[in-house]
Amino acid sequence: MDPAPNDPRPELRPAAGPLRGVRVVELSGLGPGPYAGMLLAELGADVLRIDRPGGGTALLPADAELLHRSRPCAAVDLKRPEGRDLVLRLLAGADVLVEGLRPGVTERLGLGPDDALARNPRLVYARMTGWGQSGPRAAEAGHDINYLGLTGALHAIGPADRPVPPLNMGADFGGGSLFLVVGVLAALLERATSGRGQVVDAAMVDGASSLITMIQGMFAAGAWSDRREANLLDGGAPFYTTYACADGGHVAVGAIEPQFHARLLEGLGLTGRLDGAQNDVARWPEHRAALAAVFATRTRDEWTAHFAGTDACVTPVLGLAEAPRDPHLAARGSYVEIDGVAQPGTAPRFSRTPGAVRGGPRRPGQDTRAALTAWGIDADEVARLLDAGVLAESRASR
């Protein structure tokens, strides 16, 4: 397709990666669902995002929504019978459906698992919600902080006086998106043997609970206190926390193992002063005060240079604008620049079939004509449905 008039962004690059040939229909939503669609697209899947005409609820301007990168978007009115039937036809030729709507929504639209699997018994129907498809809270609204709160994870994070949400990484993206993608890959692998699709129910509360398995095990063994900032990994230990530097910046210290802790004390000139203090919880306040006093004498970047190449496990705490310029991340190409915006690249990496960011965010309806015809819908039918308002195009793609 020729570039849309007045649209300066290039077309999406061809799919590449280990999932090349896998076809995915994504019913657009917020946050975790689009992130899962983005991951699958950048692993090589042919992902078609279905959005509402005019776009749905948006947190950012369409051009800034990085989670909408790497795959085309068609705008389809799913409340119209013709729109529902069109999506069912797309699903007949798809391998995966990804949806992150509330329980029962796709059923009411006529796009639930029974409808979809009747059209395509090999389909992997992947659905993601916060509370899951069943249970007393299944129909309630919620966000990452709520799901973490119920699992015990939020209680364990933050300073002693109050829990602090870890952005929305724990339940939304960690417990939701990543577990959904794991479920999709596992179901595709199983289908190669059985020939049958199935429903993947990825609940953020389930995934978040799974993520704290190690901590639950430590708690059960008496090796973890149910108080914040009192344990090995929650900022309680003076050798696993952050320290302020002379310029107001911070360093992150993770010197857990004895040999790394020894390197830390050596680098700070504290060798001999804290003998036997590492695992003596009663001496942790003394230990912390000693480290804090030394770290406060130099700037963050001075400490970064001082500990470079050692095993003291000291790194700078970088800001969002600084991270893409870090020498290690730059050497690995961990960040890429798309349409002038620095952003995380693809992960993980593959030796033979590398994935890639295929392009920047696509507006709702930007690729309606080209994407639907590429999926086998006749161009004349697309034109007719556009005229009828069942489909829509973004202004720049008309």
Side-chain angles (χ1 to χ4, degrees), residues 241-339:
T241 188
T242 60
Y243 289 96
C245 302
D247 59 346
H250 290 79
V251 291
V253 175
I256 296 176
E257 292 80 0
Q259 66 272 28
F260 301 154
H261 185 252
R263 298 287 80 73
L264 171 67
L265 297 184
E266 179 183 344
L268 294 174
L270 294 173
T271 300
R273 285 185 50 186
L274 295 168
D275 290 347
Q278 181 175 10
N279 296 313
D280 184 348
V281 176
R283 294 187 65 186
W284 277 4
E286 170 200 355
H287 194 166
R288 183 187 301 273
L291 269 61
V294 179
F295 275 119
T297 63
R298 300 188 191 181
T299 67
R300 183 197 69 180
D301 291 347
E302 288 173 337
W303 284 119
T304 300
H306 178 73
F307 281 107
T310 73
D311 280 343
C313 301
V314 177
T315 54
V317 177
L318 299 180
L320 294 175
E322 295 176 293
R325 301 193 298 270
D326 174 75
H328 180 80
L329 299 181
R332 287 187 54 78
S334 299
Y335 279 76
V336 297
E337 186 171 301
I338 305 292
D339 299 333

Side-chain angles (χ1 to χ4, degrees), residues 83-357:
R84 176 202 63 209
D85 292 344
L86 176 66
V87 172
L88 285 173
R89 287 161 57 195
L90 295 174
L91 293 178
D95 297 289
V96 180
L97 169 70
V98 170
E99 66 99 349
L101 305 174
R102 283 209 205 185
V105 171
T106 57
E107 284 85 350
R108 291 193 294 273
L109 290 171
L111 295 170
D114 291 344
D115 305 291
L117 289 167
R119 290 289 187 104
N120 180 1
R122 291 175 53 83
L123 183 71
V124 173
Y125 194 107
R127 46 194 350 191
M128 175 168 41
T129 56
W131 303 114
Q133 298 294 320
S134 61
R137 294 183 181 270
E140 294 182 10
H143 285 291
D144 185 281
I145 193 170
N146 307 117
Y147 314 135
L148 288 182
L150 208 67
T151 64
L154 183 60
H155 175 76
I157 300 172
D161 63 335
R162 65 188 179 97
V164 174
L167 305 181
N168 67 334
M169 296 186 297
D172 278 3
F173 296 115
S177 307
L178 296 184
F179 277 81
L180 182 86
V181 171
V182 168
V184 165
L185 299 180
L188 288 173
L189 187 64
E190 190 278 338
R191 189 186 70 176
T193 301
S194 70
R196 300 171 59 194
Q198 61 182 303
V199 177
V200 176
D201 174 7
M204 296 172 196
V205 288
D206 296 343
S209 296
S210 180
L211 289 173
I212 59 168
T213 298
M214 185 184 80
I215 302 301
Q216 287 283 16
M218 295 174 71
F219 177 67
W224 189 274
S225 167
D226 207 15
R227 294 180 296 112
R228 283 180 301 281
E229 212 170 20
N231 298 283
L232 179 67
L233 303 174
D234 65 356
F239 47 84
Y240 197 89
T241 188
T242 60
Y243 289 96
C245 302
D247 59 346
H250 290 79
V251 291
V253 175
I256 296 176
E257 292 80 0
Q259 66 272 28
F260 301 154
H261 185 252
R263 298 287 80 73
L264 171 67
L265 297 184
E266 179 183 344
L268 294 174
L270 294 173
T271 300
R273 285 185 50 186
L274 295 168
D275 290 347
Q278 181 175 10
N279 296 313
D280 184 348
V281 176
R283 294 187 65 186
W284 277 4
E286 170 200 355
H287 194 166
R288 183 187 301 273
L291 269 61
V294 179
F295 275 119
T297 63
R298 300 188 191 181
T299 67
R300 183 197 69 180
D301 291 347
E302 288 173 337
W303 284 119
T304 300
H306 178 73
F307 281 107
T310 73
D311 280 343
C313 301
V314 177
T315 54
V317 177
L318 299 180
L320 294 175
E322 295 176 293
R325 301 193 298 270
D326 174 75
H328 180 80
L329 299 181
R332 287 187 54 78
S334 299
Y335 279 76
V336 297
E337 186 171 301
I338 305 292
D339 299 333
V341 178
Q343 53 199 273
T346 59
R349 309 196 182 185
F350 299 85
S351 62
R352 290 191 300 102
T353 58
V357 178

